[in-house]
Amino acid sequence: MNLAAAANETMAHNSNLLVYSAMAVYTLAFVAHMAEWVFGSRSKVGRTAAALTERAAAPATAAARSGAAAGTAVLERPKIITRSVAGSRDVPDGPGAAGGTEKGDLYGRIAISLTVLAWALHVGGVVARALSVQRAPWGNMYEFSTTFAAVAVGVYLLLLVLKKNVRWIGLPLITTVLLDLGLAVSVLYTASDQLVPALHSYWLWIHVSCAILSGAVLYLGAVATLLFLFRDNHEAKLADPTAKQPGAFATSVLERLPSAASLDKFAYRVNATVFPLWTFTIIAGAIWAEAAWGRYWGWDPKEVWSFITWVAYAGYLHARATAGWKGRKAAWLGLIAFACYLFNYYGVNIFVTGLHSYAGV
C-alpha cells in the first residue's frame, strides 16, 4: 500500500469517527430539545403568556394616558397576529417550544449549542470523506445521506442566525437527522472508492449539490406543512364548541407552535423559494446525461421521478395561487410532492434498476 492510499484510508477512518461523534452530540441535542418542550408545559405557557401580554400592554396604556392628558393623539401599537387566508382564522403565534419559561429557554439554548457542535463535527466528517476519495462527497447513497443531513441542519442554523422564528423545527429536525445518519452508517454505508468514468465530471458538483440543497429546504417545508395540518385541526376544534376538545398533551404542544397561518406561509415561502433550484437541478441532470450517455432524456426511473416531483411541486405552487386550494388541500399536495422526492431518492435507488444505480448504494 503506497502512502497516498494509506493517507486516504486514514482520512476515511477519520470521516467515520467524526460522523459517529456528530451522532453522539446530536443525541444530546435531541435530549435537550425534549427538555425544552417538557419544561415549557401547558400551565406555564398560559401563565407566561398572560404575564407577557400584561407587561407589553402596560407601557402602551401608560403612553396613551399620558398623550391624552397632554392633548396629543397617541396610537397604541396593535397586537401582531398572522393574517390567514380569507375565510379562515386569525390566531396569534404560540410562545415557542420553550413556552416562554426561563428553564425551557435555557434547555432550548443548550440544544442549539449542541446542535452547532454536532453540525461542526458532521461537516468535518463530510469534508474528510471528500478528502479520502478526492472528489465531491456525494457519489453514493451513504455520502448523499450524510451530506443531505449536514445541509439541512446548516439551513436551519442559518435561519436562526437570520433571527427567523424556526426554533420549533429543532426537535423534528434532529430526530430526522439521527434517523438519517443511523440508516446511512448501518444500511447504506459504502466504503470510500472512486466512481465510474461517467461520473467524473464537474456536473457532479453542480447537479448533485443542487439536489441536496433543494431537498434540505423542501424537507423544512414538509415539516412545516405537517405541523400546519395538526395546528389547523387544533385551532378548528377550539373554534367549534361542539367538537371534542383537544387533550392536555396536544394542547401543551400545539399551542406553543406558530399559528396555522404562519406555518402555512412558511411552508409556501420555502417551497416557492427553492423550486427554481429544483428546476435547475433537473436541467443540469439532463445536460450531464447528454455529456455522459449521449442523450438529454432517456426515461430512466430517476429522471422520471425527478420530473414527477417537479410536477407535484409545480401543482402545489399553482394550487396555492388558486383561492380554492389554499390551506389543507394545498398542504396535502405539498406532502405528496415531498413523498415523491423521498421515493425518488430511497425507492428508485434501492428498489428500481436504472442507469443511476451504477454508483452503488
Side-chain angles (χ1 to χ4, degrees), residues 192-261:
S192 298
D193 199 2
Q194 293 303 313
L195 302 175
V196 295
L199 288 180
H200 286 288
S201 169
Y202 58 87
W203 285 107
L204 175 66
W205 290 91
I206 299 172
H207 170 64
V208 185
S209 63
C210 289
I212 291 173
L213 180 57
S214 298
V217 178
L218 292 175
Y219 162 78
L220 296 180
V223 171
T225 301
L226 183 62
L227 292 178
F228 157 77
L229 290 173
F230 284 106
R231 172 78 190 207
D232 184 66
N233 184 61
H234 176 76
E235 292 178 4
K237 288 182 178 179
L238 293 179
D240 183 4
T242 64
K244 182 180 179 181
Q245 295 303 298
F249 175 77
T251 301
S252 175
V253 173
L254 294 174
E255 288 192 352
R256 281 179 274 166
L257 292 174
S259 68

Side-chain angles (χ1 to χ4, degrees), residues 36-128:
E36 177 186 17
W37 281 92
V38 168
F39 286 103
S41 65
R42 179 190 178 202
S43 58
K44 293 178 181 178
V45 169
R47 291 198 303 269
T48 305
L52 290 175
T53 302
E54 292 174 3
R55 204 177 309 158
T61 302
R65 290 174 179 173
S66 175
T72 305
V74 177
L75 296 178
E76 295 185 22
R77 186 176 182 178
K79 182 180 180 182
I80 298 176
I81 57 176
T82 301
R83 305 296 298 180
S84 57
V85 297
S88 59
R89 299 168 298 276
D90 293 324
V91 179
D93 290 336
T101 66
E102 291 185 5
K103 185 174 287 188
D105 184 65
L106 172 63
Y107 281 108
R109 293 178 183 277
I110 291 173
I112 296 301
S113 299
L114 289 170
T115 301
V116 172
L117 175 59
W119 180 73
L121 293 170
H122 191 167
V123 171
V126 172
V127 172

Side-chain angles (χ1 to χ4, degrees), residues 58 93 122 132 246 251 270 291 325 344:
D93 290 336
H122 191 167
S132 72
T251 301
V270 296
W325 276 83
N344 184 35

